[in-house]
Amino acid sequence: GLIKTKAGLVKTPTFMPDGTRGAVKGLTASQVVSTGVQTVLANTYHLHLRPGENIIARLGGLHSFTRQTLPILTDSGGFQVFSLSKIRKITEEGVEFRDPLTGNKNLLTPESSMQIQLKLGADMMVAFDDVTALDDEGKSRTKEAFERTHRWLERSLAEFQRLTKNMKPSERPLLFGVVQGGLSKKLRKSSLEVVQSLPVDGIAIGGLSVGEPRKDMYEMLKYLAPMYDPARPHFLLGVGEPADLRLAIEQGVDMFDCVLPTRNARHGTAWVRGDKKIHLSNAKFIQDNKPIDPSCDCTTCKEGYSRGFLRHQFKVGESLAGSLVSIHNIRYLQRICEDYRK
RNA sequence: GUGCUCGUAGCUCAGUUGGUUAGAGCGUCGGUUUGUGGAACCGAAGGUCGUGGGUUCAAGACCCAUCGGGCACC
């Protein structure tokens, strides 16, 4: 498929690396481009706290601020306040939470999430949703969160429409609604119907890949596959294992984002042909002169950085190793996407 | 040569008036990571306590000798 955004076209399926604080950790904007990805993610929650959307707007918006020319999708902050569950309070109005660094109280609502994302200058935005875990405590809240996510979606959409009504179509960002419902097929189906009944530009599937057995996620993706609106892109939030990507693409998913390629990279883990993982800090690579994956076309492999060199850099704590392997891992996922486009 | 001082894990060091199976940090080795509070975390291996005697129910610790390092003095 092809997604038209105000910053350019995005071919799907596509993988988006997470540039949570405005940068994919350890990479320059052009290094990110060099991996062949079509779009990157940035985060409402983090950028709102620091440096703040007003500062970024004053510095020309996300593209100017981060020097990234690729289309940028901002996440809504819903997942972040979920992962900060210890210090948050959910009300119908929104989520109250404390800045983990300063202790300051903050309130994120569907309306403020839309305002922040627009101020940041996002090309694609996500509606503010209520995310739950899939453990026993989370399960007791699944239905409540599912219902609230829909009410919040209507508020997100209303605020989005209010703020963008005077924009030309070519300047207007795209808005994704989020499907919730935990591991309940009944709720998921209903949630998908609600989201697709509204004039959102894309469908995001949230609340999966949060620790449930892989089988459960696969089953849900297979179940949802025939029900997607084919005219709109389908975005599976938070998925980034190669095998998961393949399965999801085969079940009609168009977009992914995940911290895994970059987090793994910083910790010395690289994917190689066959979706296998290697731990570059292992002693067996001390004298290994081969690139991470001889069949890979990423710049790290093409320029010949050896496993032995990378191991050394990891062992002495140089951040270059994490950057070089991030380029490789992102490229690995991007190649999976490209293979499916052929 | 004399005096003082120090020798405990690969490294740097804890180790109570002598009291279970001698600990830590770092390093080494292995693993975990799914809409980034994490360049984070979890686990494992690794020691005849310089050596040899002695005292004691019991010694890393006390005594003697010896080897090695450091410092001071002659």
Side-chain angles (χ1 to χ4, degrees), chain A residues 20 41 54 65 110 115 183 186 228 233 236 245 278 282 310:
Chain A
T20 301
L41 181 141
N54 290 325
F65 183 59
Q115 291 157 13
L183 294 176
K186 191 177 146 207
Y228 294 127
L236 179 56
L245 229 67
I278 62 172
N282 289 7
L310 292 166

Side-chain angles (χ1 to χ4, degrees), chain A residues 169-224:
Chain A
S170 61
E171 293 171 352
R172 195 181 69 87
L174 305 180
L175 179 65
F176 284 71
V178 184
V179 173
Q180 288 291 353
L183 294 176
S184 157
K185 287 181 179 170
K186 191 177 146 207
L187 294 185
R188 283 279 172 183
K189 180 179 185 214
S190 159
S191 185
L192 183 59
E193 285 167 359
V194 169
V195 173
Q196 293 190 151
S197 72
L198 294 167
V200 292
D201 302 293
I203 319 301
I205 299 113
L208 292 177
S209 65
V210 289
E212 74 279 16
R214 200 162 239 98
K215 186 169 81 41
D216 293 350
M217 179 170 83
Y218 285 4
E219 208 174 299
M220 190 57 73
L221 291 174
K222 283 180 184 165
Y223 174 73
L224 292 174

